[in-house]
Amino acid sequence: MNSIKPIYLSAFALLVLAGCGASKQVSNSMANTNAISAPLNIKKKAPITENDLKRWSHLDIVNDTIPGMSVDRAYSELLKNKKGVKVIVGIVDSGVDIEHQDLKSVVWTNKKEIAGNGIDDDKNGYVDDIHGWNFLGDITKENLEYERILKNKNLVDGVTYQAAKALNDKKVADAASGKTRSEQMLAALKDGDATLAKHFGKPVYTMEEVKAIVSQEPLMQKSKASMEQMLSYGMPVADLKIAVQKQLDGFDATLKGDNLKADYRKIVGDNPEDITDTKYGNNNVMGPDKNGILHGTHVAGIVAQTRNNQLGGDGIANNVEILTVRAVPDGDEYDKDIALGIRYAVDNGAKVINGSFGKSFSPHKQWVYDAIKYAEKKDVLIVHAAGNDAKNIDTENNFPNDSDDKVTEFADNVITIGALNFEYGNKVVARFSNYGKINVDTFGPGVKIYATTPNDTYKYLQGTSMASPNVAGVAALIRSYYPKLSAKQVKHILMDSGVAITADVIVGGKPNDTRSFTALSQSGKIVNAYNAILMAEKMSK
């Protein structure tokens, strides 16, 4: 887990990869290459440009003064004369638009299955699973886990049930005030946007343009102040309107008790409390609603959208295939779907699995733990998002994880990722990112990440959901060019080779809450692809 501080890196030769036991010299091509390090007080040369923002996670912390992962430098300086092997990356998520112009060339295809014949040719229990499997069937919306617990108290013990009930009571109490705030925010957003769109003569404008407005007219001053605040959330105005409306609808549903009435799972036809009931779902990895796979499509693009093709953004890894497991609905995922989804990805050759999901209750957590152990046995690395509640997951629950008591890991193939902001300084930690000295391993770029979205589009999204696939992309890069390194070795390379931050940073977006970055994660570092390749080269020898 991760914590934030000023950035420095001790001499690369002194870095030790725990548990790997390799100590031979780096090959001649890299022997005299120095690892990247930088102080946190380095000054940004100029405001970030739109072109740089679209690919800031690829940029270099020293040359560009942006806390990216030095991916471009890794390719141009360390990998230009190397050839890698194909790596399958499992995307356990909401589904992926496998027809997207920037993804269709990297979609995994099950060569053991004959498309459309209605037969389970490879006898793995899934008929016509050509590009992956959809464990949600036609589900899009789902309950949160605490809601499912309240509807069936037999899922958990008494203490957990009371915790779920307390959470629901608090959410109901908060829903009334939340509804009022959301209504006010939505009104201010719509009114302010309408005023500024008319002022600029265009529907889309930037924060810089808003800040440059000079006017004594009260309505314009009000609109300027309102939209500066709205744009500070880092989302396009159109997307923010949708998000606020969705939040408002959620408050309404909570006040009416609608969230405890629906049985979304019924249409799937399985028993979600029986892990042996595996014959469910279908092979439509995009699901019933193409717009409902925005999250998974964005995650897949961060890892693998085609590099340097002049379309949208660039993926981190250049030699991967995306295996889609649809298991994360609009709501909380079922433990059963996640456990079976991990096993499915492992059994079909994934060497890296990205999990940009999480929840606070997990009635069948042991099923997921067993799947994680299965992946470890099969030498598969799982990269998991730390969560977006600005909380300490050393003390609060965030499932799935690799430690049942939040102290002792039962597996060494899971790496948990916090989110970085593109602003290099004391705001380098994303305001929403969870943290934890024990249970967050490291940090990666997670604010305003530009990647694929359904129907051949691209958008900026943010969250630890975006930080995780950035790191999964680097993991895939290592596994492609250094395939003999184990999942465990790759995990520790990602942690140990990062750029260390030793300064105090703002936590949770609260200026009065500053802490050492070293206290926010186990490594105290941010992932750096250039350094990771250097260390992988050394360890592979």
Side-chain angles (χ1 to χ4, degrees):
M1 300 303 196
N2 209 309
S3 130
I4 300 181
K5 282 262 175 174
I7 294 178
Y8 82 95
L9 193 64
S10 57
F12 185 76
L14 299 179
L15 288 175
V16 177
L17 184 58
C20 293
S23 60
K24 294 186 179 180
Q25 295 296 316
V26 181
S27 65
N28 291 336
S29 62
M30 299 186 188
N32 298 316
T33 305
N34 294 321
I36 294 169
S37 62
L40 188 62
N41 61 3
I42 190 170
K43 298 296 183 183
K44 182 75 184 78
K45 296 173 183 175
I48 190 168
T49 66
E50 185 69 16
N51 285 338
D52 281 351
L53 188 61
K54 285 183 176 180
R55 55 192 322 282
W56 73 267
S57 58
H58 299 249
L59 301 184
D60 185 69
I61 199 166
V62 177
N63 294 343
D64 304 302
T65 58
I66 293 170
M69 301 187 298
S70 305
V71 176
D72 290 345
R73 278 191 68 182
Y75 276 112
S76 63
E77 297 179 24
L78 303 179
L79 298 175
K80 58 183 177 181
N81 296 319
K82 283 182 168 286
K83 290 185 179 180
V85 300
K86 191 75 72 176
V87 172
I88 298 172
V89 179
I91 304 294
V92 180
D93 214 291
S94 64
V96 174
D97 182 0
I98 60 174
E99 298 170 352
H100 196 288
Q101 61 183 351
D102 226 359
L103 292 176
K104 58 187 178 182
S105 66
V106 296
V107 172
W108 171 79
T109 298
N110 184 357
K111 297 177 181 177
K112 298 177 182 178
E113 197 77 13
I114 300 173
N117 68 352
I119 298 172
D120 180 15
D121 299 291
D122 59 5
K123 296 180 171 50
N124 67 351
Y126 304 99
V127 176
D128 287 344
D129 56 323
I130 304 301
H131 301 299
W133 194 253
N134 172 10
F135 285 95
L136 300 177
D138 290 336
I139 285 179
T140 53
K141 176 71 176 173
E142 248 300 348
N143 286 116
L144 298 175
E145 195 66 74
Y146 82 88
E147 296 168 338
R148 294 196 284 257
I149 290 171
L150 289 181
K151 293 196 292 182
N152 181 8
K153 64 191 309 181
N154 294 325
L155 288 176
V156 295
D157 57 38
V159 173
T160 305
Y161 176 79
Q162 289 302 322
K165 184 177 184 303
L167 178 58
N168 184 67
D169 292 344
K170 183 178 187 304
K171 285 185 176 290
V172 171
D174 291 344
S177 58
K179 178 181 178 181
T180 299
R181 287 194 305 272
S182 296
E183 288 172 338
Q184 293 171 343
M185 183 177 179
L186 192 60
L189 182 57
K190 289 180 177 179
D191 292 346
D193 182 44
T195 299
L196 294 195
K198 182 178 179 181
H199 170 76
F200 290 119
K202 58 183 180 180
V204 179
Y205 43 86
T206 67
M207 173 72 89
E208 289 68 30
E209 289 175 315
V210 175
K211 287 182 175 180
I213 293 175
V214 178
S215 174
Q216 300 303 314
E217 202 275 316
L219 177 60
M220 183 58 68
Q221 288 182 328
K222 178 181 178 182
S223 298
K224 176 184 177 182
S226 175
M227 294 313 295
E228 279 188 21
Q229 180 181 358
M230 300 301 178
L231 289 171
S232 72
Y233 291 108
M235 295 174 63
V237 172
D239 290 349
L240 186 57
K241 288 178 182 178
I242 294 171
V244 176
Q245 183 63 59
K246 182 178 178 180
Q247 181 174 269
L248 178 58
D249 293 342
F251 287 135
D252 270 332
T254 299
L255 289 169
K256 295 175 184 177
D258 293 345
N259 57 321
L260 300 178
K261 297 173 184 176
D263 181 6
Y264 300 103
R265 190 72 179 194
K266 186 176 181 179
I267 63 173
V268 177
D270 74 315
N271 178 3
E273 315 312 328
D274 181 3
I275 191 67
T276 67
D277 178 10
T278 61
K279 302 298 190 293
Y280 67 98
N282 59 48
N283 69 345
N284 179 10
V285 296
M286 294 196 289
D289 177 12
K290 197 171 184 180
N291 292 319
I293 56 174
L294 180 146
H295 190 275
T297 302
H298 198 267
V299 166
I302 293 170
V303 176
Q305 58 195 350
T306 307
R307 290 182 60 81
N308 304 317
N309 67 346
Q310 311 307 313
L311 290 175
D314 287 336
I316 301 297
N318 65 348
N319 202 8
V320 297
E321 292 182 342
I322 294 300
L323 185 159
T324 299
V325 176
R326 185 170 181 265
V328 183
D330 179 9
D332 278 346
E333 60 278 1
Y334 277 87
D335 294 327
K336 175 183 173 181
D337 297 341
I338 297 302
L340 293 178
I342 290 173
R343 289 175 179 271
Y344 177 88
V346 170
D347 289 341
N348 284 283
K351 300 307 291 181
V352 178
I353 295 175
N354 187 80
S356 290
F357 51 81
K359 56 186 181 179
S360 298
F361 294 90
S362 184
H364 297 297
K365 59 185 179 182
Q366 192 59 51
W367 294 348
V368 183
Y369 292 167
D370 290 343
I372 290 171
K373 294 173 186 176
Y374 180 74
E376 182 183 41
K377 183 179 178 181
K378 298 290 186 177
D379 190 37
V380 179
L381 179 69
I382 298 174
V383 186
H384 184 239
N388 303 328
D389 301 308
K391 68 183 183 183
N392 184 351
I393 60 174
D394 287 349
T395 58
E396 299 191 51
N397 289 333
N398 181 59
F399 296 102
N401 53 30
D402 54 3
S403 173
D404 195 35
D405 62 2
K406 301 184 182 69
V407 177
T408 305
E409 292 184 353
F410 57 76
D412 200 19
N413 66 320
V414 178
I415 183 168
T416 303
I417 312 299
L420 295 171
N421 182 24
F422 57 84
E423 294 182 71
Y424 192 30
N426 66 355
K427 295 180 181 178
V428 72
V429 175
R431 66 172 71 189
F432 51 78
S433 182
N434 287 349
Y435 54 91
K437 179 62 177 174
I438 301 172
N439 291 290
V440 172
D441 292 307
T442 189
F443 278 76
V447 172
K448 297 201 77 170
I449 305 300
Y450 193 68
T452 47
T453 47
N455 303 309
D456 290 341
T457 60
Y458 303 83
K459 288 185 179 180
Y460 289 106
L461 294 179
Q462 63 184 21
T464 57
S465 284
M466 283 64 249
S468 182
N470 265 309
V471 176
V474 178
L477 202 61
I478 298 169
R479 303 215 78 173
S480 173
Y481 287 92
Y482 302 94
K484 292 183 180 180
L485 294 177
S486 68
K488 177 179 178 180
Q489 287 176 310
V490 173
K491 170 184 174 175
H492 288 284
I493 286 172
L494 292 168
M495 293 173 63
D496 295 345
S497 68
V499 177
I501 299 179
T502 56
D504 288 346
V505 296
I506 295 171
V507 177
K510 301 173 183 176
N512 295 328
D513 186 358
T514 59
R515 312 182 196 184
S516 170
F517 189 80
T518 58
L520 303 182
S521 73
Q522 195 172 130
S523 70
K525 298 175 182 178
I526 64 177
V527 169
N528 188 276
Y530 184 95
N531 288 354
I533 294 300
L534 284 178
M535 185 174 276
E537 177 77 11
K538 179 179 180 179
M539 300 312 303
S540 69
K541 302 301 179 183

